[in-house]
């Protein structure tokens, strides 16, 4: 029986072990999509306790605690940090087969040196150990980033953000990890939302363009893209229900937006027409600016009406949506390539059943302007576990070129989540090593080194053209 979480964790063959330990293990990290707060990096925050790091805003863990019958008082309520940690430790004990079990123990080992197992009985020991270490300078936000061998981070930022903390970080010569903004304009697109009119006023104020129709909305967004570009941005991100394609004339799109700006509601069909035109506009801007477009889709959000009323969005009540039509995604991309204005694009679906359609879609739009111009994003959210990652990489290998894959990202709000890159790399090396051991790929270690180092880090650097060195 293998020991729990030993040095060859998840590495089932000698080839997998060689690929990981000699090539993947020490590669740096580029975290090109996450939700961490740049202010906490700029201020080099020191966390007061492990609950703040682990359970503050982590809806992955909140969902599991609810599944264990834990009262909301101990999850998002007013229980003490120690009480919340106890309930999480008791829940984790039952999370056999869940990636949270692996992630949590990887974090305890890599950052805190704890070689034991966290459960209800050991919670006090782990609480005291972690909290003592968190008070040291080495465990500050910047310390954790440096300890994780991170070279560059892209945060997630709204067009109305002033990017002040990015400017502070850029001017700080004492910290050499690059922290760049990423453009997330969902609020400017989602005209059906209650907050939309207030948001448009904000956008008008910060851009200096009074948004009164679709032409002025595009102008305001362009002004803000210029500002983001001046602050190092070259990456966009969108959260979509699915990839929209419901074309309409300029006059009709303008009428829909003007109707909404006048305070009227818009129909679902009108929303699709506006969102299609919105996405076509920003995509063409990305192409002109050489930005990368990321499209996240396939999520049905905020399903528990009772808890949404109490807690609001992003609190652990989302699920996979099984409606992400491939035809509309193909038609949307085709509308951009028709005028040679398709930017580099990464597609992520929350539904693993979409792997094959994404794999075939990529091949329709690849060209010589960039290696792997269209990418399937790493297994996302509910899929970033051993099975989901393996399934996504097998599908990509079957239908595309796995050797050009840009690999893992954290998509996290936690500064301890960089161990997810280790988890991914182990799974990736195990998969490739298995193919070699089975005679499906030769034991050509020069080629294998390029593939493993590429997927771990180098492909990301080349694809995004980030200002960091390959390794």
């Amino acid at each position: 029986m293998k020991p729990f979480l030993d040095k060859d964790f998840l590495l089932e063959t000698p080839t997998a072990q060689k690929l990981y330990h000699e090539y993947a293990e020490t590669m740096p990290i580029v975290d090109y999509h996450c939700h961490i707060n740049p202010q906490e990096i700029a201020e080099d925050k020191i966390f007061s306790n492990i609950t703040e790091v682990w359970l503050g805003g982590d809806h992955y863990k909140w969902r599991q605690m609810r599944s264990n019958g834990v009262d909301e008082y101990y999850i998002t309520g007013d229980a003490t940090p120690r009480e919340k940690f106890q309930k999480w430790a008791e829940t984790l004990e039952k999370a056999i087969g869940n990636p949270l079990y692996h992630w949590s123990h990887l974090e305890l080992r890599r950052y805190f040196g704890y070689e034991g197992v966290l459960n209800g009985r050991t919670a006090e020991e782990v609480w005291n150990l972690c909290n003592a270490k968190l008070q040291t300078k080495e465990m500050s936000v910047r310390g954790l980033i440096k300890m994780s061998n991170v070279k560059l981070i892209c945060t997630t930022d709204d067009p109305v953000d002033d990017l002040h903390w990015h400017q502070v970080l850029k001017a700080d010569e004492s910290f050499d990890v690059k922290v760049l903004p990423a453009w997330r304009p969902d609020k400017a697109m989602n005209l059906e939302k209650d907050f939309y009119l207030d948001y448009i006023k904000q956008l008008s104020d910060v851009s200096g363009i009074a948004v009164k129709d679709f032409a002025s909305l595009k102008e305001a967004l362009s002004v803000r893209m210029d500002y983001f570009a001046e602050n190092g941005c070259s990456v966009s991100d969108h959260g979509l229900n699915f990839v929209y394609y419901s074309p309409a004339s300029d006059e009709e799109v303008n009428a829909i937006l003007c109707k909404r700006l006048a305070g009227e509601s818009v129909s679902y069909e009108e929303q699709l027409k506006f969102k299609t035109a919105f996405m076509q506009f920003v995509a063409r801007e990305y192409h002109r600016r050489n930005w990368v477009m990321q499209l996240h889709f396939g999520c049905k959000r905020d399903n528990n009406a009772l808890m949404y009323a109490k807690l609001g969005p992003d609190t652990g009540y989302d699920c996979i949506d099984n409606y992400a039509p491939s035809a509309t995604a193909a038609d949307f991309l085709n509308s951009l390539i028709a005028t040679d204005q398709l930017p580099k694009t990464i597609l992520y679906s929350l539904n693993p059943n979409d792997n094959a359609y994404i794999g075939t879609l990529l091949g329709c739009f690849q060209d010589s302007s960039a290696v792997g111009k269209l990418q399937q994003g790493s297994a996302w959210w509910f899929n970033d576990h051993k099975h989901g990652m393996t399934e996504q990489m097998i599908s990509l290998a079957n239908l595309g070129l796995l050797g050009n894959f840009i690999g893992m990202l954290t998509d996290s709000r936690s500064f301890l989540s960089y161990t997810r890159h280790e988890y991914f790399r182990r799974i990736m090396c195990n998969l490739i090593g298995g193919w070699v051991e089975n005679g499906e790929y030769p034991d050509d270690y020069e080629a294998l080194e390029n593939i493993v180092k590429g997927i771990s880090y180098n492909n990301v650097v080349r694809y995004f053209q980030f200002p960091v060195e390959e390794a």
Side-chain angles (χ1 to χ4, degrees):
M1 181 175 66
K2 288 186 66 174
F4 172 61
L5 219 70
D6 69 353
K7 71 180 183 65
D8 291 326
F9 173 57
L10 298 177
L11 304 172
E12 298 173 331
T13 65
T15 302
Q17 293 161 12
K18 177 180 176 66
L19 295 179
Y20 178 73
H21 292 303
E22 294 188 18
Y23 304 143
E25 186 172 15
T26 59
M27 292 297 283
I29 290 173
V30 164
D31 193 14
Y32 57 91
H33 174 66
C34 70
H35 298 277
I36 58 177
N37 186 346
Q39 180 177 352
E40 293 180 342
I41 305 174
E43 296 179 341
D44 200 16
K45 178 175 179 175
I46 292 179
F47 296 98
S48 56
N49 57 67
I50 186 62
T51 298
E52 183 182 7
V53 181
W54 262 10
L55 295 172
D58 191 340
H59 48 79
Y60 283 78
K61 293 186 177 73
W62 295 352
R63 287 170 68 98
Q64 298 308 318
M65 292 168 77
R66 291 170 186 141
S67 296
N68 201 35
V70 175
D71 191 275
E72 199 67 29
Y73 172 76
Y74 298 101
I75 303 172
T76 60
D78 295 329
T80 66
R82 176 65 183 88
E83 290 173 322
K84 290 180 177 181
F85 183 75
Q86 183 69 35
K87 294 297 184 182
W88 167 242
E90 293 167 1
T91 298
L92 187 63
E93 186 172 356
K94 299 180 180 180
I96 185 171
N98 191 288
L100 285 170
Y101 196 87
H102 296 149
W103 296 349
S104 296
H105 286 95
L106 280 172
E107 291 171 18
L108 288 173
R109 294 193 176 204
R110 300 298 177 257
Y111 296 110
F112 300 98
Y114 182 71
E115 298 290 325
V117 174
L118 174 59
N119 53 42
R121 300 177 301 281
T122 62
E124 179 71 12
E125 173 192 4
V126 176
W127 170 262
N128 291 329
L129 170 69
C130 291
N131 291 347
K133 291 207 169 189
L134 283 170
Q135 301 312 303
T136 64
K137 186 62 176 175
E138 292 74 18
M139 297 291 282
S140 69
V141 161
R142 294 189 185 189
L144 292 170
I145 291 170
K146 296 293 287 185
M147 193 187 309
S148 305
N149 198 17
V150 178
K151 299 299 182 184
L152 185 145
I153 296 167
C154 289
T155 59
T156 301
D157 308 274
D158 190 276
V160 302
D161 290 346
D162 64 11
L163 304 183
H164 167 73
W165 295 108
H166 289 89
Q167 294 163 356
V168 169
L169 284 163
K170 184 178 180 181
D172 187 349
E173 296 181 357
S174 69
F175 187 60
D176 62 358
V177 177
K178 298 184 186 305
V179 183
L180 305 178
W183 168 268
R184 178 79 176 239
D186 294 358
K187 290 182 178 179
M189 182 185 69
N190 292 334
L191 77 171
E192 77 278 11
K193 299 294 187 181
D194 292 341
F195 59 70
Y196 192 72
L197 297 184
D198 290 336
Y199 179 82
I200 291 298
K201 184 180 184 307
Q202 279 186 283
L203 180 60
S204 297
D205 290 342
V206 299
S207 66
I209 306 295
V211 176
K212 57 185 183 301
D213 54 22
F214 193 44
S216 52
L217 174 61
K218 292 189 287 186
E219 186 180 358
L221 291 169
S222 183
V223 166
R224 295 305 292 171
M225 284 189 217
D226 289 341
Y227 180 71
F228 269 59
E230 291 166 6
N231 284 276
C233 179
S234 62
V235 180
S236 72
D237 181 51
H238 298 264
L240 312 174
N241 299 107
F242 56 93
V243 182
Y244 312 116
Y245 189 70
S246 184
S249 67
D250 292 345
E251 292 78 14
E252 187 175 4
V253 172
N254 189 61
I256 292 167
L257 179 59
C258 289
K259 178 181 176 182
R260 182 69 184 96
L261 293 177
E264 299 180 46
S265 60
V266 292
S267 69
Y268 179 68
E269 291 73 18
E270 289 173 322
Q271 293 172 36
L272 293 184
K273 289 177 179 179
F274 174 78
K275 291 179 179 182
T276 298
F278 183 100
M279 289 302 303
Q280 287 174 320
F281 164 71
V282 294
R284 288 169 180 142
E285 284 293 304
Y286 303 154
H287 177 267
R288 183 171 70 85
R289 299 165 187 273
N290 197 29
W291 285 15
V292 173
M293 177 170 69
Q294 298 180 93
L295 304 179
H296 286 83
F297 54 90
C299 179
K300 189 174 186 304
R301 300 178 185 272
D302 307 322
N303 294 289
N304 188 321
L306 177 66
M307 295 307 294
Y308 180 80
K310 293 180 179 178
L311 300 177
D314 302 321
T315 50
Y317 296 99
D318 306 322
C319 71
I320 293 172
D321 192 339
N322 66 352
Y323 179 69
S326 61
T328 60
D331 289 344
F332 171 70
L333 297 177
N334 205 36
S335 73
L336 301 173
I337 201 70
T339 54
D340 195 18
Q341 293 176 293
L342 176 63
K344 286 189 266 189
T345 300
I346 310 172
L347 300 172
Y348 309 79
S349 176
L350 199 55
N351 192 333
N353 292 328
D354 293 340
N355 282 338
Y357 110 60
I358 291 176
T360 59
L361 186 62
L362 303 182
C364 298
F365 299 98
Q366 305 286 22
D367 59 43
S368 61
S369 64
V371 174
K373 178 177 179 178
L374 269 74
Q375 291 273 340
Q376 180 179 12
S378 184
W380 173 42
W381 195 347
F382 295 128
N383 302 305
D384 54 3
H385 44 71
K386 179 182 176 182
H387 178 74
M389 291 179 184
T390 302
E391 189 177 57
Q392 183 265 346
M393 283 187 278
I394 289 174
S395 180
L396 181 56
N398 285 336
L399 299 168
L401 285 176
L402 182 63
N404 289 336
F405 179 34
I406 58 173
M408 187 57 176
L409 67 168
T410 61
D411 191 25
S412 173
R413 293 168 174 81
S414 171
F415 291 96
L416 297 182
S417 292
Y418 296 113
T419 52
R420 295 183 192 179
H421 286 259
E422 175 184 341
Y423 192 61
F424 166 82
R425 291 173 185 181
R426 287 176 178 272
I427 292 166
M428 180 260 291
C429 289
N430 190 63
L431 177 63
I432 294 174
W435 286 334
V436 174
E437 295 266 350
N438 200 41
E440 297 178 57
Y441 192 90
D443 58 348
D444 177 351
Y445 284 99
E446 182 178 350
L448 289 166
E449 179 180 4
N450 287 334
I451 290 171
V452 169
K453 287 186 173 181
I455 296 172
S456 298
Y457 174 77
N458 287 331
N459 291 349
V460 171
V461 176
R462 296 172 195 144
Y463 183 77
F464 287 92
Q465 299 179 342
F466 282 139
V468 293
E469 297 294 324
E470 293 183 31

